[in-house]
Amino acid sequence: MRVFTWIVRTIVAGAVLMCVIMIGLAPQTVVTHFNSAGLADSFGSRWWLVMLPLLVVVTGEVMIKLARQKRRKLGLLQLPTLTGFEG
């Protein structure tokens, strides 16, 4: 479980770090949506770039919690390796 948690939180930390870098480099207005023809049709503040890492943080923590619950149910809480349902 520790390996799974470490992997998920490393990915989350990388996403948050990239977000901070991109917010600093982005212009004041960024494209938030493209239509089917590939043209920008929605714009927003550069702070919208925070949404993706926030989603990654929430999803990662939910996956860790679900994996812990499943391991507890199966009696595998102390197993240090990844199992099939975690990979």
Side-chain angles (χ1 to χ4, degrees):
M1 188 66 200
R2 283 179 264 152
V3 173
F4 177 72
T5 303
W6 182 83
I7 289 170
V8 170
R9 290 194 174 141
T10 301
I11 292 169
V12 167
V16 171
L17 179 63
M18 287 302 296
C19 172
V20 170
I21 292 169
M22 289 298 135
I23 287 174
L25 296 174
Q28 290 294 329
T29 304
V30 295
V31 176
T32 58
H33 188 265
F34 292 92
N35 63 17
S36 60
L39 301 173
D41 64 356
S42 180
F43 300 89
S45 168
R46 66 176 159 183
W47 293 102
W48 275 100
L49 297 174
V50 172
M51 294 304 288
L52 181 60
L54 181 63
L55 182 63
V56 170
V57 168
V58 170
T59 304
E61 291 303 316
V62 167
M63 290 299 113
I64 289 170
K65 183 167 179 63
L66 291 174
R68 276 202 184 115
Q69 287 176 348
K70 189 155 190 173
R71 280 177 167 240
R72 189 172 291 121
K73 181 180 176 183
L74 297 174
L76 302 172
L77 202 55
Q78 298 301 321
L79 190 65
T81 61
L82 292 175
T83 60
F85 67 86
E86 296 169 330

